[in-house]
Amino acid sequence: AAWFALPACESEEAVVGRSQSHGQAAEKRQTFRWLGFCFGDGGPLSAQTTSPGRAGRGAREAGGDSFGGHRAAQISAQELQAFREYGESWYRSRKGLESRFQPREPLARQPQVTAEARCKLVSWLIPVHRHFGLSLEALCLAVNILDRFLATTPVAADCFQLLGVTALLIACKQVEVHPPSVKELLALCCDVFTRQQLRNLECIVLHRLDFDLAAPTVSFFLEHFSQVRLEARGADAGEAADARSLAAGVAELSLADYAFTKYAPSLLAASSLGLADRLLRHRSPLDLRVSGYPEELLRDCMDQLQLLVSLNRRSLSLLLPSEVAQKCPWLGVDR
Amino acid sequence: MCDMIDSQSAEKISRMKKLRRTLSESFGRIALKKEDSSFDEICVTKMSTRNCQGMDSVIKPLDTIPEDKKVRVQRTQSSFDPFEKPTNQVKRVHSENNACINFKTSSAGKESPKVRRHSSPSSPTSPKFGKADSYEKLEKLGEGSYATVYKGKSKVNGKLVALKVIRLQEEEGTPFTAIREASLLKGLKHANIVLLHDIIHTKETLTLVFEYVHTDLCQYMDKHPGGLHPENVKLFLFQLLRGLSYIHQRYILHRDLKPQNLLISDTGELKLADFGLARAKSVPSHTYSNEVVTLWYRPPDVLLGSTEYSTCLDMWGVGCIFVEMIQGVAAFPGMKDIQDQLERIFLVLGTPNEDTWPGVHSLPHFKPERFTQYGPKNLRQAWNKLSCVNHAEDLASKLLQCFPKNRLSAQAALSHEYFSDLPPRLWELTDMSSIFTVPNVRLQPETGESMRAFGKNNSYGKGVSNSKH
């Protein structure tokens, strides 16, 4: 097995582990602390956008995608232009990369990390990425990095959360203008990990993944299919934007569920949009044939997504921009 | 299968319920706002076997899953242990924070002097951090803000390489520029994109090993002042567009085009380099930092504060570089600030208004009263040598459009008449083929004929050009 080991281990089977001795179970439990979430200097979450472009957090928040990405309606002329020129080739090149970046049963060989733990970790990363005003793209990439790393390397329970923030950090360095600082990320883990540990794990992850980080994401395909839809005759921009927002929320939920790792991002994106259109009872839904998937595959994925949605209505309502959530009475949640 | 289709939703739900696992605690405490600690958890579905279950089922209203059927694990304050599997099969070792360097396979390093590449298909069981001593470091070629570039020589095959040595930061770990450059270049294989051979990771540094290309366009123009040979300009521009078209089609922007980043080999091959600021294009909602392009090559929309970059961002830089190659002086060598840079642009292209550039008034830094009102000119009035080459002025003017939407794309530019006298085979090359594989395509000597041919000009211009930052 391709296990990462720290030095002086007696056997081949060691895992990425924090510095810690075997017998310190109590300490171990303590270090695995998702919850006490100290916010350091992060301050309260705020959605306000400062003037774009300038340094620091202002620009990050101005990204605006963080709250369900309800900006599809505001696609700029430039972006539409670029889409017209390049959309099809982007789609083909991204889609062509999907299988290479698809993690295959990432937990199959994990001795400690379970699907539940993964769910918990991703369920934690979701509010964390929102806290920093990061894009859905960054979150998707982080989960992809996480899964692909898990597929290569057994990870100890007590550094699984560290792996989560490391994956998020790497993803942000890849696609965000202003990645969160290491200090901020460590503070979110209640400082149970050290800067050095994060740096080391970052090295290991980058190395293991061979710097192959430009994975196609659900976020990309959501964007693409939404653009295709806007280009279609008789497109309803409002419906397209709502469907995109709801689908983004659904896709976000699906990241946390291990069962959905078997679906390719483009399939998840198309199915999320299809489900969103149905849930919102849209008159001119996206023609799912653009995804190129057979109907039964789409339907299977949509069914699973619907089940997921039904189990997580409350969480979903929190992932949606309020104007979209209001259009979803079945969420049954007062906001 | 068919009976599955008819299966009642209740049955399906009960099956799902059985399989469903819920997780607790995940969102609970992550109180983004103190009063809003309501993000409970994400319940997972457990998918059953891959049959066509539910295939034909209509999407049911969500309410069909009764609340009481939802199993939710109680939150517990303590003794959280998500890891069910016995831990005794896992052997961990206590050590101090050095997972990155002291792998158990560190002995592998002694075995052979073989170059250990990130990209090698070797066994995944042992970490293969490339070894810095696989390459002999020769002279320093340049120093940037986060990296130093050395000429180097492979000890394996004797080939020259460029070693971009990136210091790992104490604070933030691997610089984002290195991560982007490495991850993007790994996926790019094109004759006009610099080739990344190897990645070497050591404790303090990350070294990207590139093919060695002996000069760059900036040095080349300095060496041959007064404008390049028109045939060479055409070949360089063609290659630049070819490389850009390749990356733009792959959802990547370069974002930092400038002569320094265009490497030129001794045979005249041009290669796009320095992808540290590049990123995969991400539509539509991300803002990019608007401080990325060196001022001279920065398009007016970005100067005016637009953060909605697209592929046309790079095309402005192409126009500037084109003019600079022909004329021998930078197209818009702003001396001071953004305002000055914009004035220089508007002086030639005319000050934009809502007619020539819909939406310009809503850009953050556009204040009509701040700019002198200039009318548009012919580009040849600003850069006289454009008139000496067929179709050059037309191509330049289609690239140097203030309104981003009007800018020619890389692909479209390749079909411009300006290139019509090049051999047709150039458009049929495979990605990795150099244009110099086509018969009769070769670099012309820059003997200064171009200066004689076009007369007059430009000792003054060169002074400016040399001072570029």
Side-chain angles (χ1 to χ4, degrees):
Chain A
W3 288 36
F4 259 110
L6 298 170
C9 78
E10 314 106 282
S11 93
E12 290 289 292
E13 296 187 339
V15 297
V16 170
R18 298 192 54 237
S19 54
Q20 183 173 90
S21 64
H22 286 286
Q24 292 171 300
E27 190 202 330
K28 170 181 157 191
R29 191 157 294 135
Q30 217 179 7
T31 55
F32 194 67
R33 222 187 325 169
W34 310 95
L35 303 170
F37 213 83
C38 344
F39 261 136
D41 58 347
L45 180 66
S46 58
Q48 93 286 350
T49 55
T50 50
S51 70
R54 282 293 142 192
R57 187 137 321 180
R60 187 149 81 218
E61 283 165 0
D65 191 40
S66 48
F67 286 79
H70 196 65
R71 302 221 330 176
Q74 301 161 30
I75 290 167
S76 76
Q78 262 185 69
E79 281 152 352
L80 211 52
Q81 170 86 355
F83 173 77
R84 283 183 187 130
E85 276 165 12
Y86 290 107
E88 208 31 55
S89 70
W90 288 344
Y91 176 64
R92 270 185 278 112
S93 75
R94 296 274 90 190
K95 183 135 174 155
L97 290 172
E98 259 186 326
S99 65
R100 196 178 114 202
F101 284 95
Q102 174 107 29
R104 288 179 223 295
E105 300 194 42
L107 299 184
R109 293 188 302 154
Q110 287 293 336
Q112 295 189 339
V113 176
T114 60
E116 286 78 7
R118 182 187 173 283
C119 174
K120 187 169 208 176
L121 178 66
V122 178
S123 299
W124 177 75
L125 287 174
I126 288 172
V128 167
H129 102 283
R130 279 161 182 269
H131 166 68
F132 288 116
L134 305 172
S135 60
L136 177 59
E137 172 84 358
L139 179 69
C140 294
L141 268 186
V143 174
N144 180 266
I145 290 168
L146 173 78
D147 283 337
R148 283 164 59 228
F149 184 75
L150 287 172
T152 67
T153 311
V155 173
D158 59 2
C159 61
F160 190 44
Q161 189 183 20
L162 179 64
L163 177 60
V165 288
T166 305
L168 186 66
L169 178 67
I170 294 172
C172 291
K173 285 179 176 177
Q174 174 80 0
V175 297
E176 290 291 334
V177 179
H178 301 288
S181 72
V182 167
K183 190 179 162 208
E184 289 171 304
L185 290 172
L186 292 174
L188 292 187
C189 303
C190 300
D191 287 316
V192 293
F193 306 106
T194 66
R195 191 181 286 276
Q196 188 61 36
Q197 287 170 327
L198 181 60
R199 276 186 55 178
N200 288 344
L201 189 56
E202 183 187 70
C203 278
I204 294 171
V205 173
L206 288 172
H207 173 69
R208 271 294 179 192
L209 301 188
D210 208 9
F211 281 84
D212 252 335
L213 305 172
T217 59
V218 180
S219 165
F220 168 82
F221 291 108
L222 283 176
E223 230 41 85
H224 176 80
F225 294 137
S226 300
Q227 297 261 26
V228 168
R229 173 186 201 150
L230 285 176
E231 290 289 282
R233 203 182 293 268
D236 181 327
E239 285 194 353
D242 288 347
R244 193 216 163 284
S245 292
L246 179 54
V250 172
E252 211 167 318
L253 287 180
S254 76
L255 290 175
D257 189 337
Y258 182 62
F260 286 88
T261 54
K262 69 175 179 181
Y263 294 116
S266 59
L267 176 58
L268 270 176
S271 306
S272 303
L273 284 165
L275 179 63
D277 276 330
R278 292 171 92 160
L279 291 173
L280 292 165
R281 299 177 203 285
H282 282 158
R283 287 151 177 266
S284 46
L286 173 68
D287 182 350
L288 294 181
R289 283 173 300 184
V290 299
S291 69
Y293 285 104
E295 213 183 324
E296 59 267 34
L297 261 183
L298 287 161
R299 209 170 284 169
D300 162 54
C301 186
M302 265 157 74
D303 284 350
Q304 299 298 336
L305 286 170
Q306 187 182 19
L307 184 63
L308 182 74
V309 167
S310 67
L311 293 171
N312 295 285
R313 278 178 285 186
R314 183 173 174 76
S315 301
L316 180 59
S317 74
L318 295 169
L319 296 177
L320 299 177
S322 58
E323 65 272 27
V324 175
Q326 279 161 15
K327 293 175 186 168
C328 306
W330 41 267
L331 283 171
V333 180
D334 284 336
R335 283 181 45 117
Chain B
M1 292 292 166
C2 289
D3 50 332
M4 297 296 297
I5 290 170
D6 292 325
S7 68
Q8 295 303 300
S9 63
E11 184 190 325
K12 181 183 157 200
I13 288 158
S14 76
R15 186 175 63 236
M16 286 303 183
K17 188 189 120 197
K18 224 181 296 169
L19 293 163
R20 186 170 64 225
R21 287 167 295 169
T22 59
L23 281 195
S24 64
E25 295 203 293
S26 34
F27 282 103
R29 272 5 119 52
I30 304 169
L32 295 182
K33 293 176 195 157
K34 278 274 165 21
E35 71 278 18
D36 182 26
S37 58
S38 44
F39 218 130
D40 294 334
E41 65 215 70
I42 286 181
C43 304
V44 300
T45 67
K46 177 66 181 174
M47 289 184 201
S48 48
T49 51
R50 286 197 55 81
N51 55 27
C52 52
Q53 54 99 1
M55 233 175 82
D56 230 19
S57 67
V58 183
I59 298 272
K60 306 284 190 309
L62 291 159
D63 298 341
T64 56
I65 297 181
E67 193 65 37
D68 58 307
K69 299 221 168 169
K70 293 169 73 178
V71 180
R72 288 183 183 242
V73 177
Q74 287 302 307
R75 280 202 230 154
T76 48
Q77 288 285 345
S78 57
S79 70
F80 167 58
D81 187 358
F83 305 104
E84 310 159 337
K85 298 183 191 173
T87 50
N88 59 5
Q89 74 179 79
V90 180
K91 296 194 177 64
R92 276 176 302 101
V93 179
H94 40 286
S95 74
E96 289 304 322
N97 305 333
N98 46 7
C100 181
I101 309 104
N102 302 324
F103 294 109
K104 68 175 193 289
T105 45
S106 56
S107 60
K110 297 162 199 158
E111 286 161 11
S112 77
K114 143 178 175 291
V115 182
R116 293 183 297 155
R117 297 185 170 180
H118 267 279
S119 48
S120 74
S122 57
S123 137
T125 54
S126 52
K128 291 270 190 282
F129 283 180
K131 277 184 70 185
D133 60 8
S134 304
Y135 299 93
E136 186 185 346
K137 211 184 263 181
L138 306 172
E139 73 262 27
K140 191 193 271 190
L141 296 173
E143 182 138 23
S145 51
Y146 84 109
T148 310
V149 182
Y150 297 91
K151 189 171 174 176
K153 195 168 156 187
S154 163
K155 289 183 182 171
V156 177
N157 58 17
K159 277 193 176 170
L160 288 178
V161 292
L163 301 169
K164 187 168 188 173
V165 181
I166 296 149
R167 293 171 287 275
L168 298 184
Q169 298 154 356
E170 195 54 49
E171 293 280 297
E172 299 300 322
T174 312
F176 76 95
T177 38
I179 289 180
R180 289 181 189 185
E181 182 152 33
S183 67
L184 292 178
L185 282 174
K186 274 189 69 86
L188 301 177
K189 299 274 178 280
H190 190 275
N192 299 117
I193 312 248
V194 70
L195 193 62
L196 177 65
H197 282 311
D198 208 352
I199 301 170
I200 299 169
H201 224 153
T202 63
K203 190 174 181 180
E204 288 93 15
T205 62
L206 176 69
T207 303
L208 305 183
V209 183
F210 292 103
E211 62 178 318
Y212 180 74
V213 186
H214 89 281
T215 190
D216 63 52
L217 185 60
C218 184
Q219 291 176 10
Y220 188 90
M221 288 192 293
D222 284 348
K223 200 170 151 199
H224 307 289
L228 304 181
H229 192 295
E231 290 306 309
N232 293 347
V233 172
K234 191 170 292 188
L235 294 180
F236 288 151
L237 187 68
F238 188 86
Q239 296 180 84
L240 170 57
L241 290 168
R242 215 180 143 220
L244 273 183
S245 167
Y246 177 85
I247 65 165
H248 285 177
Q249 283 176 43
R250 274 156 190 76
Y251 202 57
I252 292 167
L253 306 183
H254 186 282
R255 299 209 295 156
D256 195 21
L257 282 184
K258 52 188 174 186
Q260 292 91 323
N261 287 341
L262 305 179
L263 306 181
I264 306 278
S265 80
D266 40 14
T267 56
E269 289 188 62
L270 178 146
K271 289 168 192 282
L272 281 167
D274 208 339
F275 282 71
L277 288 176
R279 59 161 287 177
K281 174 78 182 71
S282 178
V283 276
S285 46
H286 303 291
T287 51
Y288 298 159
S289 154
N290 63 357
E291 305 260 70
V292 294
V293 181
T294 310
L295 224 49
W296 289 5
Y297 306 93
R298 192 183 292 188
D301 46 312
V302 179
L303 292 167
L304 287 170
S306 165
T307 51
E308 285 162 350
Y309 307 165
S310 185
T311 47
C312 44
L313 169 76
D314 288 336
M315 298 317 293
W316 176 269
V318 173
C320 296
I321 290 167
F322 180 36
V323 167
E324 186 168 348
M325 287 193 292
I326 288 195
Q327 189 69 25
V329 260
F332 304 110
M335 300 301 257
K336 290 181 294 210
D337 48 12
I338 288 178
Q339 173 81 16
D340 180 53
Q341 186 67 33
L342 281 165
E343 286 276 343
R344 278 173 187 268
I345 293 169
F346 296 160
L347 179 64
V348 178
L349 301 177
T351 308
N353 54 49
E354 280 293 323
D355 293 334
T356 60
W357 181 348
V360 67
H361 281 267
S362 37
L363 289 175
H365 308 322
F366 188 79
K367 307 267 182 318
E369 67 281 1
R370 263 169 53 183
F371 299 107
T372 322
Q373 291 300 312
Y374 301 106
K377 298 183 184 58
N378 286 327
L379 297 191
R380 66 180 69 192
Q381 288 174 255
W383 306 295
N384 61 334
K385 290 181 187 174
L386 281 175
S387 58
C388 305
V389 184
N390 286 341
H391 310 295
E393 185 183 20
D394 184 64
L395 177 55
S397 71
K398 284 177 172 152
L399 293 167
L400 294 176
Q401 289 286 326
C402 283
F403 183 34
K405 227 180 128 176
N406 289 345
R407 261 169 243 156
L408 217 52
S409 71
Q411 254 170 324
L414 281 171
S415 315
H416 191 270
E417 278 178 306
Y418 169 73
F419 295 113
S420 59
D421 56 349
L422 290 176
R425 279 183 59 188
L426 285 178
W427 283 266
E428 295 153 14
L429 291 172
T430 56
D431 289 343
M432 279 307 281
S433 304
S434 153
I435 62 162
F436 296 102
T437 60
V438 174
N440 299 323
V441 175
R442 74 177 81 83
L443 199 67
Q444 303 297 318
E446 302 276 356
T447 53
E449 283 100 335
S450 57
M451 283 185 81
R452 253 172 279 138
F454 296 114
K456 56 193 172 194
N457 219 315
N458 252 322
S459 49
Y460 162 72
K462 213 49 236 172
V464 175
S465 186
N466 280 335
S467 70
K468 83 182 50 163
H469 28 266

